[in-house]
C-alpha cells in the first residue's frame, strides 16, 4: 500500500502521536514541553484551513508530518508563509516520505494562492535543494548553523 498524505485529524490519539514525533525531533532538551506542543498542535489542527498540518501514513501507521504556516515559532526573518516542522519517523526514513510531504505542502500553498514559500533547516538542505529550493541566507556558524531557503511556486 502506498504512503498516503492527508490533513491531520483532530482525534486525541492522532494529535498525541504527532506531538510525540515532533517533540522527539525538535524540542527534546528545550523549554518546550510535550504537553505544550500537543496543546498547540491540537488547536492548530482544529482550525485548519489556510494553514494546515499534513500527515503521511503507511498502512495506517504515522510515517511523518509537515506544516504549512503563516509564521514560524521564532522567525528570524519577516517573511511568510512557511513550510515548517517536517519530520519523518525513523523507521520510515529514506523512502521518499519527506519529499512527498514537501510536495504536498507546496501543492497546498499553490491552492491557497501563495507564490513563494520559505523554510529553515539545519540538516536537510540537500533534500530541499533537490526539490528546487534556493538558499536565501546562511544563519549562524555555531553548533547548529541553519539556512533560510525559499521556493517560488
Amino acid at each position: 500500500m502506498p504512503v498516503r498524505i492527508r490533513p491531520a485529524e483532530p482525534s486525541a490519539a492522532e494529535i498525541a502521536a504527532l506531538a510525540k514525533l515532533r517533540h522527539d525531533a525538535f524540542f527534546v532538551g528545550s523549554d518546550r514541553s510535550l504537553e505544550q506542543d500537543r496543546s498547540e498542535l491540537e488547536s492548530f489542527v482544529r482550525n485548519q484551513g489556510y494553514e494546515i498540518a499534513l500527515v503521511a501514513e503507511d498502512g495506517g501507521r504515522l510515517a511523518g508530518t509537515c506544516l504549512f504556516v503563516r509564521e514560524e515559532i521564532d522567525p528570524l526573518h519577516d517573511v511568510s508563509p512557511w513550510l515548517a516542522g517536517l519530520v519523518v519517523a525513523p523507521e520510515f526514513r529514506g523512502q521518499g516520505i519527506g519529499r512527498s510531504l514537501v510536495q504536498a505542502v507546496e501543492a497546498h500553498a499553490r491552492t491557497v494562492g501563495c507564490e513563494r514559500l520559505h523554510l529553515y533547516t539545519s540538516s536537510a538542505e540537500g533534500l530541499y535543494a533537490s526539490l528546487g529550493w534556493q538558499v536565501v541566507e546562511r544563519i549562524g556558524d555555531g553548533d547548529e548553523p541553519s539556512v533560510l531557503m525559499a521556493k517560488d511556486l
Side-chain angles (χ1 to χ4, degrees):
M1 174 179 271
V3 172
R4 181 176 152 217
I5 309 288
R6 60 169 176 77
E9 298 173 358
S11 75
E14 180 152 296
I15 297 297
L18 290 171
K20 174 84 169 103
L21 180 63
R22 289 171 39 82
H23 191 268
D24 289 351
F26 303 120
F27 305 118
V28 169
S30 76
D31 292 339
R32 188 174 176 85
S33 71
L34 175 60
E35 177 54 31
Q36 179 183 7
D37 195 57
R38 189 210 57 75
S39 176
E40 290 177 11
L41 187 60
E42 179 179 28
S43 176
F44 182 87
V45 169
R46 289 190 185 285
N47 294 296
Q48 292 183 96
Y50 177 84
E51 295 182 300
I52 193 168
L54 295 176
V55 171
E57 64 180 10
D58 185 345
R61 295 175 47 212
L62 174 62
T65 187
C66 192
L67 306 176
F68 171 78
V69 297
R70 283 185 174 88
E71 299 175 354
E72 266 286 16
I73 292 174
D74 295 313
L76 303 174
H77 298 85
D78 188 23
V79 294
S80 181
W82 296 88
L83 180 152
L86 173 65
V87 60
V88 175
E91 64 272 25
F92 291 101
R93 292 181 183 156
Q95 300 176 32
I97 293 169
R99 178 177 298 272
S100 295
L101 282 163
V102 170
Q103 291 168 335
V105 167
E106 292 171 359
H108 175 76
R110 281 185 207 96
T111 66
V112 295
C114 295
E115 296 178 1
R116 186 169 174 92
L117 198 50
H118 306 86
L119 65 83
Y120 289 122
T121 184
S122 60
S123 61
E125 181 180 338
L127 167 67
Y128 295 114
S130 74
L131 292 167
W133 289 73
Q134 305 277 323
V135 173
V136 174
E137 181 181 343
R138 295 200 181 275
I139 305 156
D141 56 5
D143 290 339
E144 199 169 315
S146 61
V147 63
L148 170 66
M149 299 183 84
K151 183 173 182 180
D152 292 327
L153 304 173

